[in-house]
Amino acid sequence: MERLASTSYWATYRWHYSQGANDLHTFTVWAPTASTVSLVLADNSLEMWRDDGGWWELEVDEAGHGTDYAFSVDGSEPLPDPRSAWQPEGVHGFSRVFDTGRFEWSDSEWAGREVRGSVFYELHLGTFTPEGTLEAAADHLDYLVGLGVQVVSLMPVAAFPGRHGWGYDGVDLYAVHEPYGGPEALQQFVDRCHDAGLAVCLDVVYNHVGPSGNYLSSFGPYFTSRHTTPWGPAVNLDDEGSVEVRRWICDNALRWFREFHLDALRLDAVHALADDSPRHLLAQLSEETAALAKELGRPLGLVAESDLNDPRMVEPVAEGGLGMTAQWSDDFHHALHTLLTGEHAGYYVDFDEPGVFAKTLTQVFLHDGSYSTFRGKDWGRPVDPERHRGSEFLAYTSNHDQVGNRALGDRPALTPGQLAIGAALVITSPYTPMLFMGEEWGASTPWRYFTDHDEPSLAEAVRTGRRQEFAAYGWDAEEIPDPQDPATWKSSVLDWSELDASPHRELLAWYRDLLALRARSDDLRDDRLGSVSIAYDEDGSWLVIHRGALRVVVNLEPGEAVVPLDDEPAYEVMSYGDAAPVTAGVRLSGHGVAVFAV
């Protein structure tokens, strides 16, 4: 049986069923510079034969689902498959054949969901529940539906070292972290989400690979010294051998859509994808995803995390863009965070000026060609409101980065009223709203940086590096939680019992009501950037957001205040705190927020 062409989507299979009665399987691996490659099984080692393009393959009678295997390259120790779908013994162990076709899907009626304008909920499987598994997370789907969530956004599930971690140091991109339940558990989770009416977005990391369990260089030129990144040599997207490395990435993405029925992918830090080739990797991935969406008959989304502040990210490939469906908007977050907390150090330095939040609410980016003090240069490009919709940008009060990358992993220290204000400003904006797990009830648990490396030298390097990073900001080493201490992970697990206590239950009710209002209000779902306007006090004491016939009235002060309103309110839609119309305005309690119809 001939190996399928490496440029095809189906190259994602490093083994596949033959059509013969004996159900033969073919193992394939790309190792272009190797002299010999052997397939290592439980009881023997078999020499593979070289095919075109640096691929090696071997047919093995009676191998199939559950077969453990590895590759030996030029006599090396057995190494996991770069396209391994299953790593039951961890990132250093043998790979195991996983037949994605065994699972019996029940979502044949699922038509998919357009992610632009949908309500995202970012969650980390290892801390969303005490069990830290896909199955346990699925038991909370009814809660998410009742909240008003439409897209469950999973942080990375690619196999990474140890049991506990964020997932951004994954090394087996095709595998699902075994402590989460492994690959079949992900299929079950997606199936249950679709049954509940929820789409699923998966966070994938293509800009680097973690250090522990990374054996890719033993196989081929997966990395290049042509570019450097914060993690070292860049993933090879434009050097010799990059055609197959790009296929390794694109095949991975398409496989999640096709074999695991995912609806969208969140692409981590795409600004770190160093690619000087004529066709950028993102453009290639966009076009291949669009072709697959057409074949499958349902929308497939690509959501980028980008630091570039460049609207080209979400512009069509045919018009010179990179073709992403949407992207995160950190400028909106920074402006909102500074507005509520008053913090203005580090990358918040430019965000405490009057009018900054107004600009990010109506024009997306603060830095749209202007000078960025933190970066020390002009940054970004403006967003054309005639060309772009607000739903192409995700807005949020927090996310895993903005909480976990703080020294203590602490959530914003705000009053319940300030948390309610933040929720209102995100959910009533023209952007695609995203919640970070637990924010909807004002979770008291932190979300800290934690790892679980077995290698003592790597564990110490991570621990020391974390402390040195924050020493520059005046923190003492003993104040920084030890990422390797299991207590650091455990402290980050959500405490679901808080939902029954005040003020958590009142804040949760506010979130539910806001999301329900958004769902039934055409004005709030209007994603035209020109559909929103804002009035504000130069002293930063109040805001009024105009959304069609609705007014979102905000008192940013801790004491009672009258917020001026040009339009006479017809009736109150909802409020957090006391709200009462008075002459030429609305009287709000301290840190109060209300929605009025006019």
Side-chain angles (χ1 to χ4, degrees), residues 211-278:
S212 179
N214 176 7
Y215 301 104
L216 293 172
S217 293
S218 298
F219 290 91
Y222 281 86
F223 304 95
T224 175
S225 58
R226 176 179 289 184
H227 308 283
T228 57
T229 72
W231 307 280
V235 174
N236 179 15
L237 303 178
D238 57 7
D239 206 347
E240 184 177 357
S242 62
V243 170
E244 290 294 353
V245 178
R246 294 165 73 103
R247 281 261 52 90
W248 173 69
I249 292 172
C250 291
D251 289 348
N252 175 261
L254 299 178
R255 175 178 178 270
W256 293 126
F257 288 134
R258 186 188 291 272
E259 303 301 329
F260 289 82
H261 293 203
L262 286 159
D263 302 284
L265 298 177
R266 183 260 187 190
L267 307 178
D268 181 63
V270 297
H271 48 270
L273 293 170
D275 185 5
D276 292 335
S277 61

Side-chain angles (χ1 to χ4, degrees), residues 486-539:
T488 303
W489 155 75
K490 193 171 184 178
S491 68
S492 302
V493 177
L494 288 177
D495 180 3
W496 287 85
S497 69
E498 292 183 331
L499 271 67
D500 298 325
S502 182
H504 302 290
R505 63 171 176 264
E506 290 85 3
L507 186 61
L508 177 60
W510 174 251
Y511 267 84
R512 285 174 173 157
D513 290 346
L514 272 174
L515 290 170
L517 175 62
R518 184 181 185 278
R520 65 176 184 266
S521 169
D522 291 338
D523 286 337
L524 294 185
R525 293 196 312 278
D526 187 344
D527 64 347
R528 293 173 302 141
L529 291 172
S531 71
V532 59
S533 62
I534 178 172
Y536 59 92
D537 177 13
E538 289 288 346
D539 294 331

Side-chain angles (χ1 to χ4, degrees), residues 253-523:
L254 299 178
R255 175 178 178 270
W256 293 126
F257 288 134
R258 186 188 291 272
E259 303 301 329
F260 289 82
H261 293 203
L262 286 159
D263 302 284
L265 298 177
R266 183 260 187 190
L267 307 178
D268 181 63
V270 297
H271 48 270
L273 293 170
D275 185 5
D276 292 335
S277 61
R279 185 191 189 201
H280 195 280
L281 174 74
L282 293 180
Q284 177 181 348
L285 181 56
S286 172
E287 291 181 327
E288 293 188 17
T289 298
L292 182 60
K294 183 176 181 179
E295 176 188 335
L296 297 179
R298 59 184 175 92
L300 302 175
L302 296 172
V303 180
E305 179 199 16
S306 173
D307 181 51
L308 301 177
N309 282 20
D310 190 345
R312 178 173 175 255
M313 187 65 60
V314 292
E315 292 170 357
V317 174
E319 299 175 15
L322 294 175
M324 298 295 97
T325 312
Q327 75 155 81
W328 284 20
S329 179
D330 274 352
D331 275 23
F332 178 90
H333 166 270
H334 297 348
L336 179 57
H337 181 87
T338 301
L339 180 75
L340 296 175
T341 68
E343 292 183 16
H344 55 270
Y347 50 64
Y348 295 122
V349 64
D350 291 334
F351 289 85
D352 65 339
E353 295 296 321
V356 166
F357 178 73
K359 181 174 180 179
T360 62
L361 178 66
T362 58
Q363 301 176 51
V364 187
F365 300 137
L366 169 64
H367 296 303
D368 55 5
S370 62
Y371 184 77
S372 166
T373 304
F374 179 72
R375 299 179 180 93
K377 62 177 75 174
D378 292 343
W379 199 258
R381 292 176 55 232
V383 175
D384 182 353
E386 299 300 318
R387 185 176 184 183
H388 292 281
R389 313 285 289 201
S391 60
E392 296 168 9
F393 304 92
L394 270 64
Y396 34 85
T397 64
S398 63
N399 59 43
H400 75 271
D401 274 330
Q402 303 303 335
V403 176
N405 285 330
R406 295 171 67 86
L408 303 180
D410 51 318
R411 296 172 186 260
L414 301 172
T415 67
Q418 288 174 308
L419 294 174
I421 290 170
L425 294 178
V426 167
I427 294 170
T428 65
S429 77
Y431 303 127
T432 294
M434 183 177 77
L435 282 56
F436 178 55
M437 61 176 195
E439 74 163 74
E440 69 274 17
W441 73 76
S444 67
T445 49
W447 201 74
R448 293 173 170 156
Y449 180 67
F450 47 88
T451 57
D452 188 20
H453 294 297
D454 289 332
E455 302 92 334
S457 60
L458 180 57
E460 183 57 32
V462 170
R463 182 182 297 115
T464 302
R466 183 77 174 174
R467 289 171 174 171
Q468 289 178 343
E469 176 185 358
F470 289 102
Y473 297 95
W475 292 86
D476 293 332
E478 60 270 16
E479 295 180 281
I480 306 303
D482 179 359
Q484 285 286 120
D485 187 342
T488 303
W489 155 75
K490 193 171 184 178
S491 68
S492 302
V493 177
L494 288 177
D495 180 3
W496 287 85
S497 69
E498 292 183 331
L499 271 67
D500 298 325
S502 182
H504 302 290
R505 63 171 176 264
E506 290 85 3
L507 186 61
L508 177 60
W510 174 251
Y511 267 84
R512 285 174 173 157
D513 290 346
L514 272 174
L515 290 170
L517 175 62
R518 184 181 185 278
R520 65 176 184 266
S521 169
D522 291 338
D523 286 337

